[in-house]
Amino acid sequence: MPNTALPGENPRPERAPSELTAEQRDAVAGVFASIDQVARELGERFSAAGHELALVGGPVRDALLGREVHDFDLTTDAVPQRILELVDGWADAVWTVGIDFGTVGLRKNGLQLEITTYRSESYSPKSRKPEVDYGTSLTADLERRDFTVNAMAVRLPERAFVDPFGGLDDLRDRRLRTPGRPEDSFGDDPLRIMRAVRFAAQLGFEPVPEVRTAAREMADRLAIVSAERIRDELTKLMLSPVPRTGIELMVELGAAPYVLPEIPRLRLEIDEHHRHKDVYEHSLTVLDQAIDLERERGMQPDLVLRLAALLHDVGKPKTRAFEPGGRVTFHHHEVVGASMSKNRLSALRFPKDVVADVSKLVALHLRFHGYGKGEWTDSAVRRYARDAGHLLQRLHVLTRADCTTRNRRKAAALSRSYDDIERRIERLSEEEELNSIRPDLDGNEIQRILGIKPGPLVGKAYRFLLELRLENGPMGAEAAEAELRSWAAAQGIELPEA
């Protein structure tokens, strides 16, 4: 079938298995509308110098799917040094962070683009970094890409659509195939197994049987991939519309032990004598419900919340115990789970604030269940809000999402309790600014009243006053000073004369 050309000059004779629809032609043309001048000028510069240039991969795929295009990736037969020469004096800025992998970045008219030399890359059995060799053919470059839906290109400046491996058909059918043998693709870069998982969650694509088989047989190759690359794919998966799909596929393909080994371990055996919820299914349902609540509350996709929802019960396998009468308990699983979450996310090189926030949410996720029917005092509500701190809204969502009971009466009662505590926190917040609760006296005032210098005793007195503040609400400086003096006398601290 003849090649499909976008508006522009005459196409080159590239094979295309399927014609673009009018809607897809408009979508791709729309992408070029935003980069028309830059694409034309850059394409003409390369062409005049005897080099090829093409928009490739993700931008083409996303345009055909009608998704917003943010990144503009191009490929060429020019080597990096030649790329630098061709854009010298034309680009507004140039950076060479990825030049060792054949990539030159540039900015022109507010647009950021990356140009990569045709290449083929592979991993030796024990290497964590790919070996890069430059190529001379666009078709060969597309063949070494991960999946056919990412192996489509548009040549510049003539805007000829290039699809030598049937990516357009696969895009229509929402399936993931590799341009060549999947064993070769995953052997070249094992991270592509995680990319398949991510595309399933992000785009709703279904890996074909041969891709599933190869991924399952080669999942252990993920062990050579750096933690940072795995983290980045996991992050994209978790922020996708349906992360559950990706998590389930990751477990099915045997990739989870090399990414989040705690997740498949949640599938605890359930026998007739020790019945309890399937923790794996429960955790995925909590993740789904947290995402639903995100949308209901107008929140953006929240990595911290979603990771906490997925990991909130990872401490259960280690803490499971069988009690008389067939009862199953998981005492302190939130404490164990918080430690496990911290260790796993740290190993994946997540930022320290993400690690701290996720592990804290896991540690706090059971706190609400002591609320009962609203018996908590205002001081208990203050402590709950203060302990959650900036994570309070996320804790509200996680706590609500953690209700997966099929008992409607029980679920309704829990929902009413959630509503009640949120109302009480809101009321107390308006009255007392719960997010920034402090004692009625600061450190300087404590030192003045007690006649002491900075040191551990100041911290001890501060904590005493904070407990009073949480218990009683605002006291005022005079009452707080009286309480501090009484405390100091009980501690045997000699006070200065007033």
Short mmCIF file of all heavy atoms in Angstrom, two decimals, residues 396-416:
data_model
loop_
_atom_site.label_atom_id
_atom_site.label_comp_id
_atom_site.label_asym_id
_atom_site.label_seq_id
_atom_site.Cartn_x
_atom_site.Cartn_y
_atom_site.Cartn_z
N HIS A 396 -7.34 11.58 54.77
CA HIS A 396 -8.79 11.47 54.65
C HIS A 396 -9.15 10.53 53.48
O HIS A 396 -9.99 9.64 53.62
CB HIS A 396 -9.42 12.84 54.38
CG HIS A 396 -9.47 13.74 55.57
ND1 HIS A 396 -9.59 13.27 56.86
CD2 HIS A 396 -9.44 15.10 55.67
CE1 HIS A 396 -9.63 14.29 57.70
NE2 HIS A 396 -9.53 15.41 57.00
N VAL A 397 -8.52 10.76 52.34
CA VAL A 397 -8.83 9.96 51.15
C VAL A 397 -8.43 8.50 51.36
O VAL A 397 -9.21 7.58 51.06
CB VAL A 397 -8.12 10.54 49.91
CG1 VAL A 397 -8.30 9.61 48.70
CG2 VAL A 397 -8.67 11.93 49.58
N LEU A 398 -7.23 8.28 51.88
CA LEU A 398 -6.75 6.92 52.09
C LEU A 398 -7.64 6.18 53.07
O LEU A 398 -7.99 5.00 52.85
CB LEU A 398 -5.31 6.94 52.60
CG LEU A 398 -4.68 5.59 52.96
CD1 LEU A 398 -4.66 4.66 51.74
CD2 LEU A 398 -3.27 5.77 53.51
N THR A 399 -8.04 6.84 54.14
CA THR A 399 -8.87 6.19 55.15
C THR A 399 -10.23 5.80 54.57
O THR A 399 -10.74 4.70 54.80
CB THR A 399 -9.07 7.13 56.35
OG1 THR A 399 -7.79 7.49 56.87
CG2 THR A 399 -9.85 6.44 57.45
N ARG A 400 -10.83 6.70 53.80
CA ARG A 400 -12.10 6.38 53.16
C ARG A 400 -11.93 5.25 52.15
O ARG A 400 -12.77 4.35 52.07
CB ARG A 400 -12.67 7.62 52.47
CG ARG A 400 -13.23 8.67 53.43
CD ARG A 400 -13.79 9.85 52.65
NE ARG A 400 -14.37 10.86 53.53
CZ ARG A 400 -15.63 10.88 53.93
NH1 ARG A 400 -16.45 9.90 53.55
NH2 ARG A 400 -16.09 11.85 54.72
N ALA A 401 -10.87 5.30 51.37
CA ALA A 401 -10.63 4.29 50.34
C ALA A 401 -10.40 2.91 50.94
O ALA A 401 -10.66 1.89 50.29
CB ALA A 401 -9.45 4.69 49.47
N ASP A 402 -9.93 2.88 52.19
CA ASP A 402 -9.59 1.61 52.83
C ASP A 402 -10.83 0.82 53.26
O ASP A 402 -10.71 -0.30 53.77
CB ASP A 402 -8.70 1.88 54.05
CG ASP A 402 -8.00 0.63 54.55
OD1 ASP A 402 -7.85 -0.33 53.76
OD2 ASP A 402 -7.61 0.60 55.73
N CYS A 403 -12.00 1.37 53.05
CA CYS A 403 -13.24 0.65 53.37
C CYS A 403 -13.69 -0.12 52.14
O CYS A 403 -14.19 0.45 51.17
CB CYS A 403 -14.33 1.63 53.79
SG CYS A 403 -15.93 0.83 54.06
N THR A 404 -13.51 -1.45 52.15
CA THR A 404 -13.90 -2.28 51.02
C THR A 404 -14.93 -3.33 51.42
O THR A 404 -15.15 -4.30 50.70
CB THR A 404 -12.66 -2.99 50.40
OG1 THR A 404 -12.05 -3.82 51.40
CG2 THR A 404 -11.65 -1.99 49.90
N THR A 405 -15.55 -3.14 52.57
CA THR A 405 -16.54 -4.12 53.02
C THR A 405 -17.76 -4.14 52.09
O THR A 405 -18.17 -3.13 51.53
CB THR A 405 -17.01 -3.80 54.45
OG1 THR A 405 -17.96 -4.78 54.85
CG2 THR A 405 -17.63 -2.42 54.54
N ARG A 406 -18.34 -5.32 51.94
CA ARG A 406 -19.57 -5.46 51.14
C ARG A 406 -20.81 -5.27 52.01
O ARG A 406 -21.93 -5.29 51.50
CB ARG A 406 -19.59 -6.83 50.47
CG ARG A 406 -18.47 -7.01 49.43
CD ARG A 406 -18.56 -8.37 48.78
NE ARG A 406 -17.48 -8.56 47.82
CZ ARG A 406 -17.30 -9.69 47.12
NH1 ARG A 406 -18.13 -10.71 47.30
NH2 ARG A 406 -16.30 -9.80 46.26
N ASN A 407 -20.59 -5.14 53.32
CA ASN A 407 -21.70 -4.91 54.23
C ASN A 407 -22.12 -3.44 54.13
O ASN A 407 -21.41 -2.54 54.59
CB ASN A 407 -21.27 -5.24 55.66
CG ASN A 407 -22.41 -5.13 56.66
OD1 ASN A 407 -23.21 -4.22 56.61
ND2 ASN A 407 -22.45 -6.08 57.60
N ARG A 408 -23.28 -3.20 53.53
CA ARG A 408 -23.69 -1.82 53.26
C ARG A 408 -23.90 -1.01 54.53
O ARG A 408 -23.59 0.17 54.59
CB ARG A 408 -24.96 -1.83 52.41
CG ARG A 408 -24.75 -2.35 51.00
CD ARG A 408 -26.01 -2.21 50.17
NE ARG A 408 -25.80 -2.67 48.81
CZ ARG A 408 -26.74 -2.65 47.87
NH1 ARG A 408 -27.95 -2.17 48.15
NH2 ARG A 408 -26.48 -3.08 46.64
N ARG A 409 -24.46 -1.65 55.54
CA ARG A 409 -24.70 -0.94 56.80
C ARG A 409 -23.38 -0.53 57.43
O ARG A 409 -23.24 0.60 57.93
CB ARG A 409 -25.51 -1.82 57.75
CG ARG A 409 -26.95 -2.07 57.28
CD ARG A 409 -27.69 -2.97 58.24
NE ARG A 409 -27.78 -2.38 59.57
CZ ARG A 409 -28.30 -3.02 60.62
NH1 ARG A 409 -28.76 -4.26 60.48
NH2 ARG A 409 -28.37 -2.42 61.79
N LYS A 410 -22.43 -1.43 57.42
CA LYS A 410 -21.12 -1.12 58.00
C LYS A 410 -20.43 -0.02 57.20
O LYS A 410 -19.84 0.91 57.78
CB LYS A 410 -20.25 -2.38 58.03
CG LYS A 410 -18.89 -2.17 58.68
CD LYS A 410 -18.10 -3.47 58.72
CE LYS A 410 -16.73 -3.27 59.37
NZ LYS A 410 -15.95 -4.54 59.40
N ALA A 411 -20.49 -0.12 55.87
CA ALA A 411 -19.87 0.90 55.02
C ALA A 411 -20.50 2.27 55.25
O ALA A 411 -19.81 3.29 55.32
CB ALA A 411 -19.99 0.50 53.56
N ALA A 412 -21.84 2.29 55.39
CA ALA A 412 -22.53 3.56 55.62
C ALA A 412 -22.15 4.16 56.96
O ALA A 412 -21.98 5.39 57.09
CB ALA A 412 -24.05 3.33 55.54
N ALA A 413 -22.02 3.30 57.98
CA ALA A 413 -21.64 3.78 59.30
C ALA A 413 -20.24 4.38 59.28
O ALA A 413 -19.98 5.44 59.89
CB ALA A 413 -21.72 2.64 60.31
N LEU A 414 -19.32 3.71 58.58
CA LEU A 414 -17.95 4.22 58.47
C LEU A 414 -17.94 5.56 57.74
O LEU A 414 -17.24 6.49 58.13
CB LEU A 414 -17.07 3.21 57.75
CG LEU A 414 -16.61 2.00 58.56
CD1 LEU A 414 -15.97 0.95 57.66
CD2 LEU A 414 -15.64 2.42 59.65
N SER A 415 -18.75 5.64 56.68
CA SER A 415 -18.80 6.88 55.92
C SER A 415 -19.31 8.03 56.78
O SER A 415 -18.78 9.15 56.72
CB SER A 415 -19.70 6.69 54.69
OG SER A 415 -19.74 7.88 53.93
N ARG A 416 -20.32 7.76 57.60
CA ARG A 416 -20.83 8.81 58.49
C ARG A 416 -19.77 9.25 59.50
O ARG A 416 -19.65 10.43 59.82
CB ARG A 416 -22.07 8.31 59.23
CG ARG A 416 -23.31 8.21 58.34
CD ARG A 416 -24.57 8.02 59.19
NE ARG A 416 -24.53 6.77 59.95
CZ ARG A 416 -24.99 5.61 59.48
NH1 ARG A 416 -25.50 5.53 58.26
NH2 ARG A 416 -24.96 4.52 60.24
#
